[in-house]
Amino acid sequence: RLQSSKNPFDGVFPAPSKMKFNKSFCTINSSWKIFDINKTNDLIDEKLKYFWKNKFNKKIEYSNEKSKHNIISLEISNSKKIGQLVGSYLIEIKKNKISVKAKTRQGLFYGLSTLLQVFEQNIKIPAGIITDSPAFSVRSVIQIKTRTVLSSDFKDYINQLADLRYNVVYLPTDAYFHLDKPERLKEITDVFDYCKSHFIEPVPYFETFGAGTLTRTQDPCLDEGIFHEKEIWKVSAKGLIELDVPRILDCPNTTIHIFTKAGKELKRYVDYKVLSTKKPKILIENNELFNTELLLSYDAVDFSLFPHPASCPSDPHGWELQENVIANTLTLLKPKSLHISQDEAGLINKCSRCKARGLSNQEIMIDQINRVHKLIRKYSKDIDIYIWGDLFNDFQNAPKLGVEGSIKGLPKDIHVHDWNYVGVYHSDKMQTINQMNFYFKRGFKTGGVAWFEPANVIDILQIGKKNSNKFLGIMHSAWAKFEHSLLPVAEANWTGSSILGDLDF
Ligand SMILES: [Zn+2]
């Protein structure tokens, strides 16, 4: 289809939505100049320099007069012909002049990108008008590295995302926990600045609850434990008790208690010592208790019975850490959005800290999301907050955690990214549940994640379009093997449709 097309703009990715040509043509050559009154050090200038060097082996020249002939003018404009969504643009091609108009530099960049893609193949193009707009305002990608630095790989990736018109990238890094160190602040600020100069909004990503990776690596005491209450253990002939769990929490907010069968509590450091918390070993000092049975209460850390680990939502130190990371991230990096994960927790309400509160799993779940929401709102009234969709979804991971119904307590201004892969685990039951609908029906702004399965792109598009006022667009995830969905998601987010829909699976 593309080979036989006489319209060179048919080969642009993603293809512009509206094109109207007349019978004349425009031919550019190396003498053409650029008019760009708002020129800054952004990607627009970089792209032009690169293109001119490669195409004409010449340095690009700028002009101050947009009315002259042989000019490509880049203009910020409020013309009603330009679409509403940020990134929309208008190209007017005349015999001796091309103007690209948009409401933002981002729109100018996309317009220029369309033009340069065509000029790669043809320096003679039909005259006319092209109007183009993104279908969805959030066109996002999530990274999975635990430390993000401005490496050449990262730069290449961001350049690629900019060309594909992604405009949001979620960035996990432990730097958010160390922003009080100037070198770590600079490290992530450089990354943020680079993304912004490529018209991609960087969004901090850290886990406030869930598998809880980042908080848990800050303090192993924040692992969710399993409370063992007054369990009977035999003291060996040498005074040792060796527990059969991988680790115990011997932490400020969890305590080990040992009692005799008569109910007398042993004193720590006087009557016993904890020799090791991993493959736990406890030494009883009083030899009269050797070969007797004692009662032990402790929090074990043992994730072997669960699909994922979890962090404890009831430890005061956990909340101090969370407030610190939220305050630093929001005040020092000033992001427009924040992704706080809330996914794939393996267990909840099992440790002594949680159990002491006397709440149900659902009550703890609702309490923790409202607490973190309040902390974020304390430092920013208007930042967009994103979570994953699994733990609050009664048809996904909520039942595994025993927190069904928690959706009723989820603050309404939190947005959801759903990763329920209908296209992969295709069944009639999954179809009727239909992933994002759980959140759409309850009024939440929701987007879908495609993973590596292209069929998901079509599925998410169909459901998203039915809920267009609440739809956040499609997220491409870096856990997609081989980046299979990078291009299909880019196409769907920009054009609102997918070439995949024409194919048979
Ligand atoms: Zn707990």
Side-chain angles (χ1 to χ4, degrees):
R1 181 173 66 99
L2 295 182
Q3 277 175 347
S4 63
S5 170
K6 287 205 171 98
N7 173 9
F9 286 88
D10 279 346
V12 171
F13 183 90
S17 49
K18 278 184 201 149
M19 299 180 265
K20 207 178 163 193
F21 299 108
N22 54 45
K23 284 182 179 149
S24 59
F25 284 85
C26 165
T27 306
I28 63 157
N29 57 49
S30 65
S31 74
W32 280 53
K33 291 179 182 166
I34 307 297
F35 172 84
D36 183 3
I37 203 162
N38 299 303
K39 178 174 178 280
T40 63
N41 217 4
D42 62 21
L43 193 53
I44 291 178
D45 182 49
E46 196 183 312
K47 286 276 174 195
L48 280 165
K49 275 181 185 157
Y50 182 83
F51 179 84
W52 237 254
K53 181 89 184 72
N54 271 278
K55 193 80 187 174
F56 302 118
N57 197 21
K58 197 174 170 246
K59 247 179 120 176
I60 184 101
E61 285 181 62
Y62 283 84
S63 164
N64 287 326
E65 294 165 82
K66 73 167 173 180
S67 56
K68 283 215 164 166
H69 277 177
N70 297 359
I71 289 274
I72 297 175
S73 77
L74 304 170
E75 299 164 46
I76 298 291
S77 160
N78 272 323
S79 164
K80 287 202 175 111
K81 290 182 206 160
I82 302 166
Q84 287 299 311
L85 285 186
V86 174
S88 304
Y89 65 86
L90 165 73
I91 304 176
E92 291 166 331
I93 305 161
K94 291 176 183 161
K95 197 172 170 226
N96 296 309
K97 189 175 181 269
I98 299 171
S99 57
V100 182
K101 293 177 182 170
K103 289 173 182 169
T104 58
R105 299 278 301 166
Q106 188 186 126
L108 291 181
F109 170 67
Y110 297 149
L112 183 73
S113 166
T114 292
L115 212 49
L116 295 185
Q117 280 188 60
V118 173
F119 285 143
E120 291 277 350
Q121 309 293 333
N122 330 260
I123 50 168
K124 183 183 176 188
I125 60 172
I129 291 176
I130 292 163
T131 46
D132 197 12
S133 291
F136 310 120
S137 57
V138 184
R139 305 180 297 278
S140 62
V141 168
I142 184 151
Q143 288 294 293
I144 48 169
K145 285 189 178 139
T146 49
R147 184 165 181 177
T148 305
V149 294
L150 196 53
S151 61
S152 59
D153 277 0
F154 182 80
K155 286 181 179 175
D156 288 348
Y157 194 67
I158 292 298
N159 272 296
Q160 187 185 10
L161 295 186
D163 284 338
L164 295 173
R165 301 182 190 178
Y166 283 98
N167 67 345
V168 171
V169 62
Y170 303 98
L171 296 170
T173 170
D174 66 348
Y176 306 125
F177 282 91
H178 305 289
L179 296 177
D180 40 2
K181 291 179 189 142
E183 70 276 12
R184 297 304 306 272
L185 176 61
K186 186 176 184 312
E187 172 187 301
I188 192 68
T189 303
D190 288 348
V191 166
F192 271 44
D193 288 347
Y194 192 81
C195 294
K196 286 178 193 169
S197 73
H198 287 60
F199 309 105
I200 296 172
E201 195 58 40
V203 178
Y205 174 93
F206 48 80
E207 302 202 0
T208 53
F209 180 67
T213 319
L214 283 181
T215 31
R216 287 174 52 237
T217 53
Q218 294 306 295
D219 179 0
C221 285
L222 296 177
D223 280 333
E224 176 67 6
I226 299 163
F227 187 48
H228 293 240
E229 192 172 13
K230 295 200 170 166
E231 208 172 62
I232 299 169
W233 280 89
K234 183 153 187 214
V235 186
S236 76
K238 290 181 176 175
L240 277 180
I241 296 174
E242 294 181 67
L243 300 176
D244 60 353
V245 292
R247 181 158 72 90
I248 51 169
L249 292 170
D250 184 20
C251 297
N253 302 313
T254 60
T255 34
I256 296 157
H257 294 281
I258 305 178
F259 306 87
T260 63
K261 280 202 156 173
K264 184 177 169 266
E265 183 165 1
L266 272 59
K267 286 201 182 92
R268 178 100 185 241
Y269 307 112
V270 177
D271 299 326
Y272 70 93
K273 268 188 214 160
V274 176
L275 298 180
S276 165
T277 54
K278 284 181 190 165
K279 293 186 181 171
K281 271 191 194 131
I282 293 165
L283 179 68
I284 305 297
E285 305 274 16
N286 179 353
N287 57 16
E288 283 171 23
L289 295 172
F290 292 8
N291 292 312
T292 66
E293 283 184 336
L294 295 173
L295 302 173
L296 268 71
S297 296
Y298 58 94
D299 284 298
V301 179
D302 185 358
F303 298 132
S304 62
L305 297 172
F306 303 95
H308 298 282
S311 53
C312 178
S314 304
D315 189 304
H317 185 234
W319 287 104
E320 278 167 33
L321 274 181
Q322 297 223 22
E323 174 150 13
N324 190 44
V325 68
I326 288 167
N328 279 347
T329 302
L330 299 196
T331 53
L332 297 172
L333 299 174
K334 297 188 172 57
K336 289 183 180 163
S337 316
L338 185 64
H339 200 306
I340 56 169
S341 181
Q342 300 272 322
D343 83 319
E344 294 197 330
L347 56 159
I348 191 173
N349 201 15
K350 295 233 186 287
C351 80
S352 61
R353 295 162 294 195
C354 289
K355 289 205 173 275
R357 298 167 73 187
L359 300 174
S360 69
N361 293 8
Q362 187 202 75
E363 285 166 333
I364 288 196
M365 190 67 185
I366 291 175
D367 176 73
Q368 67 81 19
I369 189 65
N370 280 278
R371 207 161 161 179
V372 72
H373 176 261
K374 203 171 155 189
L375 276 182
I376 295 165
R377 287 286 171 249
K378 180 173 163 186
Y379 296 96
S380 173
K381 291 268 173 278
D382 53 6
I383 195 168
D384 284 327
I385 306 169
Y386 294 97
I387 62 167
W388 296 118
D390 58 304
L391 285 186
F392 285 91
N393 190 331
D394 292 350
F395 299 98
Q396 203 176 358
N397 283 339
K400 288 183 194 158
L401 211 56
V403 297
E404 296 97 319
S406 300
I407 184 75
K408 70 179 178 198
L410 184 65
K412 289 284 179 191
D413 60 342
I414 288 183
H415 311 323
V416 182
H417 278 296
D418 188 282
W419 53 269
N420 210 347
Y421 311 118
V422 173
V424 178
Y425 305 116
H426 194 87
S427 72
D428 291 345
K429 192 177 167 214
M430 290 301 284
Q431 258 197 326
T432 52
I433 293 162
N434 239 340
Q435 47 170 358
M436 300 186 297
N437 283 334
F438 183 81
Y439 292 100
F440 281 137
K441 274 183 196 151
R442 290 161 177 84
F444 290 93
K445 282 195 179 171
T446 305
V449 187
W451 202 24
F452 70 82
E453 174 56 69
N456 288 328
V457 175
I458 300 165
D459 187 62
I460 295 165
L461 261 186
Q462 282 171 356
I463 303 160
K465 280 178 164 178
K466 282 183 197 153
N467 299 273
S468 56
N469 59 337
K470 294 276 177 201
F471 183 48
L472 285 172
I474 309 174
M475 185 201 282
H476 169 73
S477 65
W479 64 80
K481 287 170 196 165
F482 317 117
E483 305 276 9
H484 279 159
S485 69
L486 188 68
L487 262 73
V489 171
E491 183 201 24
N493 274 334
W494 186 268
T495 65
S497 60
S498 173
I499 195 172
L500 297 167
D502 302 335
L503 307 174
D504 285 333
F505 288 101

